Amino acid sequence: MAVPFVLVVTIAALDIYTGRDIQLGPLLVIAPALTASLAGPRLTALAGVLAVAAQVLIAVLLGGLTTSNRVAQIIALAALSALMFFMRCVRERRDRALSRARSVAETAQRVLLRPPPRRIGPLQVAWLYMSAEDETEIGGDLFAFARAAHAATRVVIGDVRGNGLAAIGEASLVLGAFREGAHRYDTLPGLVAALGDSVSRNLEDVADTEHDAGEHFITCLVLEIHDDSLSAAEMINCGHPPPLLVHDQRVTVLYARQPLPPLGVCERTIEDDRIDPFTFEGGDMLVLYTDGVIEARSPSGAFYPLAERVASFPATNPDTLLHHIHRDLLAHVGGHLADDAALLVIERTPSHRPHLTPHPISHHRHHHLSGPPPPPGS
């Protein structure tokens, strides 16, 4: 902050020392210009006043204060200093407005997308949310945790068609229905049916149809992770990318046998056979994500290979794994995502390792819970 004022003194001293042959006074405009980029309006105005005063002092000491050349230099410097002050005031007003907008976005994020606890039941959680729109922290991706009425934790992760601020209303609809129903419904199909019913009834009221007249729907994945020693877990997939299970440093893709259509596409009754059970042991990790992660493109157009990268990272704890994914994802896309992206890493803590022999899990990289592999692109 002292540099602009040191420049005023230095330039004035050099101009006086060199005499009338070399005129360095016009360089005094550097001081208010530099201050405007570093400080607020008051210091910018002070730097401008000192620069003009130094120009006047130079003219007095060297003679010729009333000459047309000196008068023109003083007027030009005063006008440029005033312009710097005005532009700094405009920028200050914009910075205050941006700060208020960020504060509103942070508050909205805490209300709509409440940060999950670090620990919930036997689970340790790490999460990451990246919005595609500049200057915003929320968008069309969603996730939430809730304790069920019985000894289990329920998790939802979803993705609204579209991204950014326009998708917040639809995301809030799913989050509200999940938080209300997670404690009320005893079964996972009952909870998912309630989510679908709420979306079907209220989607038109919250969807941004004015700017987006296309079809509106929400893909989601709902899980129930039991606390008991059997390490049991269940999921119902409504058109969402399948989760990854990290077991003994091996990655398994948990494809659904019969995935349901996204929420909002149609009303339906969900049968118990749509549940996909899997084993989630102590020390295992689940990686849940939205399509903004796996559809992130490199500058050459290649998609981000999440399963392959997760298999190459040291999965010591959720925070470490999430840090590796985040850093690698940004390096893959060159620093900025084109779509909203959410990531959850959930670990069943080793202290809850089952005492009974668990149901065996295949260690193939791409594993289906049952049934034939899904067709390409499903």
Side-chain angles (χ1 to χ4, degrees), residues 43-371:
L43 286 179
T44 301
L46 177 60
V49 170
L50 291 179
V52 173
Q55 184 71 287
V56 172
L57 178 63
I58 293 170
V60 170
L61 293 179
L62 295 180
L65 176 61
T66 58
T67 62
S68 58
N69 184 35
R70 293 294 185 182
V71 171
Q73 289 182 12
I74 294 172
I75 294 175
L77 181 58
L80 289 173
S81 298
L83 179 61
M84 297 296 178
F85 172 74
F86 173 75
M87 295 302 296
R88 191 62 188 86
C89 289
V90 172
R91 181 181 173 187
E92 186 82 1
R93 191 180 302 111
R94 179 185 177 277
D95 289 345
R96 286 197 299 267
L98 181 58
S99 178
R100 287 193 296 268
R102 285 175 173 167
S103 177
V104 171
E106 291 172 0
T107 303
Q109 184 181 40
R110 286 193 295 268
V111 172
L112 297 177
L113 195 68
R114 302 171 194 168
R118 299 278 298 171
R119 294 186 65 90
I120 178 168
L123 308 177
Q124 185 176 349
V125 179
W127 64 278
L128 173 68
Y129 194 102
M130 293 175 285
S131 176
E133 288 195 12
D134 295 332
E135 314 297 353
T136 62
E137 299 186 11
I138 53 179
D141 289 0
L142 60 101
F143 55 80
F145 289 73
R147 292 291 290 173
H150 48 283
T153 300
R154 286 174 169 172
V155 187
V156 64
I157 184 168
D159 185 4
V160 176
R161 193 196 70 83
N163 56 50
L165 296 174
I168 291 178
E170 295 156 81
S172 66
L173 178 61
V174 178
L175 289 172
F178 173 79
R179 289 170 181 144
E180 177 65 23
H183 310 277
R184 177 174 298 180
Y185 295 94
D186 294 332
T187 65
L188 203 58
L191 173 59
V192 175
L195 296 182
D197 179 64
S198 178
V199 170
S200 297
R201 286 187 290 106
N202 302 298
L203 187 59
E204 291 185 1
D205 296 332
V206 299
D208 185 16
T209 56
E210 180 180 352
H211 298 94
D212 185 1
E215 187 178 14
H216 290 260
F217 57 85
I218 303 102
T219 67
C220 78
L221 178 71
V222 185
L223 298 93
E224 181 169 291
I225 303 172
H226 298 275
D227 296 349
D228 58 32
S229 60
L230 296 177
S231 298
E234 302 170 340
M235 75 175 188
I236 294 180
N237 193 326
C238 299
H240 198 75
L244 306 179
L245 175 64
V246 183
H247 175 78
D248 290 339
Q249 300 299 320
R250 294 183 176 91
V251 176
T252 300
V253 182
L254 300 179
Y255 291 108
R257 295 171 300 174
Q258 302 180 61
L260 294 168
L263 304 179
V265 172
C266 62
E267 298 183 14
R268 70 276 190 185
T269 301
I270 302 175
E271 304 297 336
D272 290 343
D273 62 359
R274 292 302 185 102
I275 296 177
D276 289 298
F278 61 96
T279 303
F280 188 40
E281 301 181 10
D284 289 354
M285 294 190 196
L286 277 174
V287 180
L288 312 180
Y289 55 94
T290 58
D291 62 7
V293 177
I294 57 174
E295 294 180 0
R297 292 179 180 268
S298 66
S300 63
F303 290 116
Y304 182 67
L306 178 63
E308 295 178 10
R309 298 298 176 87
V310 169
S312 67
F313 296 142
T316 55
N317 58 68
D319 290 317
T320 301
L321 180 57
L322 189 67
H323 172 74
H324 285 298
I325 297 173
H326 183 204
R327 185 176 60 182
D328 189 60
L329 177 61
L330 292 181
H332 178 80
V333 300
H336 182 74
L337 294 176
D339 192 8
D340 301 326
L343 274 163
L344 290 175
V345 180
I346 306 170
E347 179 187 24
R348 185 188 287 273
T349 53
S351 59
H352 290 265
R353 187 176 298 278
H355 301 288
L356 302 178
T357 302
H359 181 74
I361 291 183
S362 169
H363 296 307
H364 294 294
R365 178 65 55 82
H366 297 288
H367 167 68
H368 299 270
L369 294 175
S370 65

